[in-house]
Amino acid sequence: MTRTDETITMTSGEFAHLGEGSVAYLRKLSSEELLGRFPNLGEIAPGMVLWALFAANGQPILLSDAKDRALAGAMENDLTTVAIH
């Protein structure tokens, strides 16, 4: 990482690991959207709305039918959450 008075320059490798282990993002997804993100999910009813928690690098962490449970999972793992709309 290089720092000047106004700009911080990161390598692509540094950027790829930004937030790793400390930041996760929370996203509301339909059951149809989940199939591509959670390949081992198995059968799920169409039309469901679920909450997914992802690591900063996009790796799925957990899936819940309730937003508060997904947030609790983040807190249990000392992760700062951000919402994706």
Side-chain angles (χ1 to χ4, degrees), residues 14-79:
E14 290 170 330
F15 186 72
H17 294 286
L18 185 65
E20 195 171 73
S22 61
V23 175
Y25 63 95
L26 182 64
R27 184 168 181 190
K28 186 164 96 172
L29 298 167
S30 69
S31 53
E32 292 80 12
E33 292 174 289
L34 290 172
L35 296 177
R37 297 185 178 267
F38 291 85
N40 298 326
L41 187 61
E43 206 171 307
I44 187 167
M48 291 183 67
V49 175
L50 300 165
W51 291 91
L53 187 67
F54 296 92
N57 66 0
Q59 180 72 28
I61 298 173
L62 67 84
L63 182 62
S64 177
D65 62 346
K67 183 179 181 179
D68 59 338
R69 283 190 221 135
L71 289 170
M75 288 181 8
E76 287 174 10
N77 290 290
D78 296 322
L79 297 169

Side-chain angles (χ1 to χ4, degrees), residues 1-25:
M1 183 177 347
T2 310
R3 181 181 289 256
T4 65
D5 288 339
E6 298 178 22
T7 306
I8 296 175
T9 305
M10 299 175 81
T11 67
S12 59
E14 290 170 330
F15 186 72
H17 294 286
L18 185 65
E20 195 171 73
S22 61
V23 175
Y25 63 95

